[in-house]
Amino acid sequence: MFALTESMCHPNPNPYLHSTLALTRISSEDEAIYQCIAENSAGTNQASARLAVAQTQDLPAAPQGLRASVLSNSALQVTWSQPPANVTDSIIGYVLHIRKIGEPDSHELQEAISKSTFQHDVTNLDAATTYSIYLKAYSPLGASQQSRTVLATTLGGVPTPPTFFTKVVNSSAVQVLWELPDKAGKAEGFRLSYRRVPHADFQGPIQLPPHINAHTIANLETGLVYEVRLVAYNGNGESDCSNRLVSLTEEGTSAQTAGGSGLCECRDAEASLGSVVVGIHIGTACIIFCVLFLMFGYRRR
């Protein structure tokens, strides 16, 4: 028997706190009766519990062949392989774990399923949303390891195009930052690609998970212009792409962080210079015309 005091469960003893003792990497040697003793000025109280450690070989094997298919914009169908008869006899049921991709585990939904069932429809889901799904089998001794995790997206369309910005880190690197969807599950991930202007071929795509909203593209060539492209995707397809131009000129890179604005300034400068040149040509032509007019007028006299 092990006796636990509140100070052993929590570094700052406080009779009003609910404390937890966590045992990790347990083995059969940890089997015992654990007794918790609480004490204050009014007296003492205690509670006890027996810990029985089930061996891994006594637990069911993880479910195999898990698949998820789309039924509608609010429902998915999950199937898995029927285990051998000797394994089924020890199983008392299954628990399906499902959550929107990008949400914390604490928001996970769990649905209990009969031991004789190997197909289950999950309903009342959000449209155009990607879900993460896995399954566990249960016996009287405890739960199996989880099955492989699968992703499935309800019908309802592709994600909206992501809004993103670029920031020049140095003469050979650009940081790309974008806004995540306002609701979890609305994007399964992002694909980032880029090309050197005026080349036609894009490099990538770089696959990025749904919770990431920044990526740095390095080892670019100094003094060149690049086009950056970003799309969001789910099981229904890709969003329309968002594009930005960014210049890696050695001077004034801070002015190019908006992506493409530097090119507009260059075009304005070129237009202004062209106007000056045209003006000079017109002025020169007028002077020549006046000189010729005076020469011919003088000869007639």
Side-chain angles (χ1 to χ4, degrees):
M1 177 181 292
F2 293 89
L4 307 176
T5 63
E6 204 278 332
S7 61
M8 296 173 63
C9 299
H10 196 278
N12 298 311
N14 187 328
Y16 299 102
L17 290 177
H18 296 281
S19 301
T20 301
L21 174 69
L23 301 177
T24 60
R25 300 181 181 180
I26 60 175
S27 65
S28 57
E29 297 177 357
D30 295 309
E31 289 190 350
I33 297 175
Y34 288 80
Q35 184 182 53
C36 185
I37 301 174
E39 181 177 354
N40 61 17
S41 58
T44 62
N45 202 348
Q46 65 180 29
S48 59
R50 180 179 181 84
L51 173 65
V53 180
Q55 299 300 316
T56 303
Q57 59 267 27
D58 298 329
L59 298 175
Q64 301 295 314
L66 187 70
R67 293 182 179 85
S69 56
V70 183
L71 295 178
S72 67
N73 60 1
S74 62
L76 299 171
Q77 185 174 84
V78 182
T79 61
W80 59 97
S81 302
Q82 181 177 351
N86 60 327
V87 176
T88 304
D89 291 341
S90 65
I91 293 175
I92 59 176
Y94 297 94
V95 173
L96 186 69
H97 300 252
I98 180 169
R99 64 179 175 87
K100 296 177 184 177
I101 192 168
E103 278 191 337
D105 293 341
S106 59
H107 291 189
E108 180 182 83
L109 301 176
Q110 299 181 9
E111 296 192 11
I113 303 169
S114 167
K115 62 176 290 184
S116 59
T117 301
F118 310 102
Q119 174 181 304
H120 183 73
D121 293 347
V122 186
T123 58
N124 297 321
L125 302 177
D126 292 342
T129 302
T130 301
Y131 289 86
S132 170
I133 304 167
Y134 69 87
L135 186 71
K136 285 186 177 182
Y138 280 79
S139 74
L141 297 177
S144 69
Q145 296 292 317
Q146 72 177 54
S147 69
R148 74 183 184 96
T149 300
V150 297
L151 301 179
T153 304
T154 52
L155 298 177
V158 299
T160 56
T163 300
F164 78 98
F165 309 90
T166 57
K167 177 182 178 181
V168 176
V169 178
N170 53 46
S171 60
S172 63
V174 174
Q175 186 179 41
V176 184
L177 307 99
W178 58 93
E179 298 177 2
L180 296 178
D182 56 353
K183 292 183 180 180
K186 291 303 179 182
E188 188 175 323
F190 301 92
R191 295 188 177 114
L192 177 67
S193 54
Y194 60 96
R195 71 181 178 96
R196 192 178 74 187
V197 176
H199 289 192
D201 296 333
F202 278 84
Q203 302 293 318
I206 303 168
Q207 200 90 357
L208 298 161
H211 62 279
I212 296 296
N213 68 336
H215 183 79
T216 299
I217 306 172
N219 300 319
L220 302 176
E221 295 188 41
T222 302
L224 298 180
V225 176
Y226 284 85
E227 180 181 2
V228 180
R229 174 177 294 176
L230 183 70
V231 298
Y233 71 91
N234 62 17
N236 297 326
E238 290 186 345
S239 70
D240 292 335
C241 63
S242 300
N243 298 58
R244 277 191 176 273
L245 294 175
V246 59
S247 176
L248 292 179
T249 54
E250 294 182 358
E251 297 180 359
T253 53
S254 59
Q256 310 300 327
T257 56
S261 60
L263 293 181
C264 294
E265 292 170 4
C266 291
R267 286 170 185 162
D268 292 341
E270 290 173 0
S272 299
L273 179 60
S275 299
V276 172
V277 172
V278 170
I280 292 173
H281 286 173
I282 293 174
T284 303
C286 290
I287 293 172
I288 294 173
F289 177 79
C290 291
V291 171
L292 292 175
F293 178 79
L294 291 174
M295 289 177 63
F296 282 113
Y298 179 76
R299 287 181 180 180
R300 286 179 182 176
R301 290 179 183 178

